[in-house]
Amino acid sequence: FMRRQQVLLLYRRILQAIREVPNDSDRKYLKDWAREEFKRNKSATEEDTIRMMITQGNMQLKELEKTLALAKS
């Protein structure tokens, strides 16, 4: 149950970050990519695997936020 909340929070944070992307086609691409990634890994049950995917997702989110911050400056 706690993992589910973590995953949903991560998904929401990724989508919020994607909304900041200025280019329409890039934004659509990233949104589709995020949706597909989460859908593809939906059936994962292994605790370690889920933890690893959450960590990976957070790193990708930080990278996206960093890129967006650079683009704005």
Side-chain angles (χ1 to χ4, degrees):
F1 180 70
M2 286 303 290
R3 289 278 174 246
R4 179 177 163 79
Q5 284 181 315
Q6 279 182 299
V7 171
L8 290 174
L9 179 66
L10 176 61
Y11 186 61
R12 278 195 297 265
R13 287 176 56 211
I14 288 173
L15 289 180
Q16 284 171 346
I18 289 173
R19 277 189 218 121
E20 303 293 313
V21 174
N23 185 311
D24 279 347
S25 62
D26 289 346
R27 193 168 42 241
K28 184 185 180 340
Y29 170 79
L30 287 170
K31 202 184 214 176
D32 291 345
W33 167 81
R35 189 176 292 127
E36 282 306 309
E37 277 300 299
F38 277 85
K39 220 183 270 183
R40 191 163 52 87
N41 295 311
K42 185 179 170 182
S43 60
T45 53
E46 187 76 28
E47 194 66 27
D48 290 338
T49 306
I50 295 170
R51 198 176 304 122
M52 184 201 66
M53 287 190 284
I54 290 173
T55 303
Q56 205 173 13
N58 278 314
M59 289 182 341
Q60 289 173 327
L61 174 61
K62 279 192 184 86
E63 198 60 44
L64 176 60
E65 288 170 339
K66 225 184 286 180
T67 305
L68 287 169
L70 282 173
K72 284 181 181 175
S73 62

